[in-house]
Amino acid sequence: MGIFDGLRSALGMSAEADATREADPEDLFGMSTAYLTMEADLGFPPAGVAALCFSGVDSTDFADAVEEVETILEAGEVETGTEARFVDDSHGYEWVVLADRDFEDLVTSVHFAADTLIERGYGSRLLAALFGFENEGSPIYWVYSFRRGAYYPFAPQSSSERDSTVEFKLESVLDGELDIESDKDYWYALWPDSGRHPWE
């Protein structure tokens, strides 16, 4: 199962009708404190990566909006050291992939990218923001669904299995600190096509 299966059903097409509210990038700042809990209380340090996933539009204006995000992130790299790259996956989704050992810089950069697309009128194209952590050498993620306005944990064990024990533990510890999706039917797995991360 590729990322297309999860995003199409959970964060894309069917979620359009199940959206709880408009996309709000301010929710992303919840990770600015949650990452401290992840490391201090759970022993899951940040992996130094985050990503924003969105579906594109075949228009010049949308291309200009993405170029605006790219230009300012490139300029910001000088100040923050946050490296940004833009990735198209094999299913037509677009990603802004960010790398930085400073977690708060990652949050700020993801927020900027999302906020810019919203201001340009493309908030409905935002699908998810992912924040990576380490679990004994394996990646785990907090996924923010823009359509649902909530977070959920994703802890892959392999290319097709997830660690529900870890996910429920993350939910129990971070509930209240993050707005966590209460309907676990929306805790969709975002498997990578190849590689280590969902955008690969």
Side-chain angles (χ1 to χ4, degrees):
M1 179 185 296
I3 188 172
F4 176 72
D5 303 287
L7 285 176
R8 180 177 62 178
S9 57
L11 305 172
M13 296 177 182
S14 68
E16 187 75 45
D18 296 329
T20 55
R21 57 183 172 80
E22 293 295 319
D24 186 357
E26 299 305 308
D27 293 340
L28 298 173
F29 286 121
M31 289 305 305
S32 293
T33 57
Y35 87 95
L36 298 171
T37 303
M38 286 287 290
E39 185 165 17
D41 295 359
L42 294 167
F44 297 154
V49 292
L52 180 72
C53 182
F54 53 94
S55 56
V57 179
D58 187 13
S59 75
T60 302
D61 186 67
F62 182 76
D64 289 345
V66 173
E67 185 177 350
E68 180 181 343
V69 173
E70 185 172 6
T71 298
I72 298 181
L73 286 177
E74 286 179 354
E77 182 179 349
V78 177
E79 180 179 345
T80 66
T82 305
E83 298 178 1
R85 58 190 176 96
F86 288 70
V87 177
D88 294 331
D89 66 27
S90 60
H91 306 294
Y93 293 102
E94 300 181 38
W95 296 81
V96 182
V97 181
L98 301 155
D100 196 324
R101 301 313 300 182
D102 187 319
F103 191 86
E104 293 189 21
D105 284 346
L106 287 176
V107 175
T108 299
S109 296
V110 172
H111 174 272
F112 166 78
D115 194 47
T116 300
L117 291 177
I118 291 171
E119 288 182 354
R120 292 291 297 265
Y122 296 106
S124 64
R125 312 306 296 179
L126 293 170
L127 299 176
L130 281 69
F131 297 93
F133 294 85
E134 295 286 349
N135 176 22
E136 297 181 352
S138 298
I140 60 175
Y141 306 91
W142 275 107
V143 181
Y144 178 76
S145 168
F146 285 94
R147 300 292 173 82
R148 298 289 294 175
Y151 286 90
Y152 67 88
F154 174 45
Q157 276 187 317
S158 65
S159 61
S160 61
E161 296 182 358
R162 59 199 297 181
D163 191 335
S164 58
T165 300
V166 168
E167 292 178 352
F168 293 148
K169 182 177 182 180
L170 294 180
E171 177 195 24
S172 66
V173 174
L174 274 297
D175 190 22
E177 190 165 352
L178 293 175
D179 186 3
I180 297 177
E181 172 61 61
S182 59
D183 187 346
K184 292 180 175 56
D185 286 342
Y186 287 93
W187 287 22
Y188 280 83
L190 302 179
W191 307 115
D193 284 336
S194 61
R196 191 167 190 251
H197 299 292
W199 49 87
E200 297 176 333

